[in-house]
Amino acid sequence: MEMRSFGNTDLEVSRLTFGCGAVGGLMTKGETADQDRAIAWARDNGINFFDTAASYGNGASEVNLGRALKGNTDGIVVSTKVGLSNNDLANVTDAVTKSLDASLTRLKLDHVDIFQLHNTLGRPDHRGTLSVDRVLDDVIPAFEKLREAGKTRYLGFTAKGEVNDLHKLVKCGAFSSAQVFYNLLVPSAGEAVPAGYPADDFLQLLDVAMDCGVGSIGVRVLAGGALSGSVARHPLGMPSVDPIGSNTDYATDVLRSRQFIPLVEAGHAASLPELAVRYVISNPALVTTEIGIATIDELQQAASAVTKGPLSVEALDEIRKVQTGFAASAQ
């Protein structure tokens, strides 16, 4: 497993990050033995970055990751997150401190390597609406107190929401990490997209992050599972998934993903998920890509895809043709 320097930090992270979220579901609803086996396999095979959040399974993910790690974080990078509700904004420092303290208790750790803000910026979500000015004025100072207390080494955020706000936070100098939404259906964080493309335009956020020394974590690289090409979902995963970045619905994303099948048939990849993973790692600006899993087999397949390396120039050209077709059909 290839390792990469993570932005301006002193962290070295694997090109594949083990996602412990509820979309895949292993670390929130799986059997204990399966969880422990997957974490052990990841460590044995060079995967050293494990990403969780307080909201994943209402803390279950952190509990299960903490048990599987057994306090042994030698060579391991662990990140977790806090999502702030409107009520939390009355006392941001208290809210983030309580959240991280609870996360550390569940993880059985005295600190995490990266503590990330989990809110949508400038748009309403289930927690409420958080403005970029509130992040700059209140959240960052609260996060910095946690870093000064030794509870986290670096600060990060999930780059979801209004694109200008996301760029502003990447450039502000406070964050060392950004989770960036990037996949075959939502490619705009990595390159310019045609006018009318049916997805958020992240305006090449990966390049901006790299230029600012912010480590990038590619998330939703399988579009929540749509890039499997099947609407069927594993029982451990979320029964339904709303697209992020894609201006459509899950069923439509599945249909669009099937338009990449000819590349698999032409031998550019062994499967649609492999094509999706190798597509994102073909962008040198992306430091690591996070995969959510339901089974150890899915983890092993993702690791195999990463070790096969970037796609060929020919494959990338064919992918752009498909993506251009999405823009044309949306108009």
Side-chain angles (χ1 to χ4, degrees):
M1 179 61 61
E2 180 187 357
M3 306 295 287
R4 284 285 195 85
S5 296
F6 192 69
N8 60 8
T9 74
D10 65 356
L11 302 174
E12 292 283 325
V13 300
S14 49
R15 291 227 69 188
L16 184 64
T17 293
F18 190 121
C20 300
V23 173
L26 175 64
M27 297 303 292
T28 56
K29 296 192 292 186
E31 296 292 332
T32 297
D34 293 335
Q35 295 167 347
D36 292 350
R37 189 163 63 99
I39 297 293
W41 188 92
R43 296 185 72 159
D44 288 345
N45 287 273
I47 298 168
N48 78 330
F49 195 175
F50 297 85
D51 177 62
T52 184
S55 63
Y56 295 160
N58 293 320
S61 172
E62 292 177 325
V63 169
N64 293 326
L65 178 60
R67 183 204 64 251
L69 292 177
K70 301 176 182 177
N72 177 13
T73 57
D74 183 33
I76 295 300
V77 175
V78 176
S79 62
T80 194
K81 312 179 194 74
V82 59
L84 297 171
S85 69
N86 282 343
N87 291 336
D88 292 330
L89 299 182
N91 191 332
V92 172
T93 298
D94 186 57
V96 299
T97 301
K98 287 182 178 178
S99 181
L100 182 52
D101 285 346
S103 291
L104 293 176
T105 297
R106 289 188 289 264
L107 287 164
K108 299 181 180 179
L109 299 175
D110 60 8
H111 76 281
V112 290
D113 297 286
I114 307 171
F115 188 49
Q116 304 176 84
L117 179 66
H118 207 187
N119 288 73
T120 302
L121 275 298
R123 298 178 185 172
D125 66 10
H126 66 280
R127 300 182 181 94
T129 301
L130 187 62
S131 71
V132 67
D133 288 339
R134 202 67 190 265
V135 175
L136 294 169
D137 294 341
D138 296 333
V139 176
I140 290 173
F143 272 33
E144 288 176 339
K145 288 180 181 179
L146 295 173
R147 180 169 58 189
E148 291 165 2
K151 295 179 181 181
T152 185
R153 297 183 62 199
Y154 299 105
L155 313 180
F157 75 104
T158 300
K160 178 185 176 187
E162 293 299 321
V163 64
N164 291 334
D165 293 347
L166 308 182
H167 281 246
K168 191 171 185 178
L169 290 189
V170 164
K171 295 174 181 177
C172 77
F175 293 108
S176 298
S177 169
Q179 289 194 313
V180 179
F181 293 88
Y182 183 46
N183 59 56
L184 283 165
L185 304 176
V186 186
S188 60
E191 59 185 276
V193 293
Y197 192 87
D200 285 355
D201 190 346
F202 290 109
L203 298 175
Q204 295 169 271
L205 186 59
L206 289 173
D207 289 332
V208 177
M210 182 174 64
D211 291 343
C212 294
V214 174
S216 54
I217 306 165
V219 291
R220 286 292 181 102
V221 296
L222 297 181
L227 281 162
S228 68
S230 171
V231 295
R233 301 191 59 79
H234 194 279
L236 293 181
M238 292 174 63
S240 62
V241 177
D242 293 328
I244 296 178
S246 173
N247 297 337
T248 179
D249 55 65
Y250 188 80
T252 301
D253 277 358
V254 171
L255 290 174
R256 286 179 175 160
S257 75
R258 292 173 182 165
Q259 295 188 42
F260 294 104
I261 289 176
L263 281 94
V264 175
E265 294 172 339
H268 293 295
S271 65
L272 272 179
E274 180 188 306
L275 186 77
V277 171
R278 293 177 65 192
Y279 168 74
V280 297
I281 69 165
S282 297
N283 190 323
L286 180 65
V287 178
T288 182
T289 183
E290 181 170 335
I291 188 81
I293 62 167
T295 67
I296 191 172
D297 288 342
E298 292 178 357
L299 173 65
Q300 292 169 340
Q301 290 165 15
S304 175
V306 170
T307 56
K308 286 182 179 180
L311 294 170
S312 67
V313 172
E314 179 187 358
L316 294 173
D317 287 343
E318 291 300 314
I319 285 170
R320 291 187 187 98
K321 292 177 183 177
V322 177
Q323 293 168 338
T324 300
F326 295 154
S329 62
Q331 296 180 5

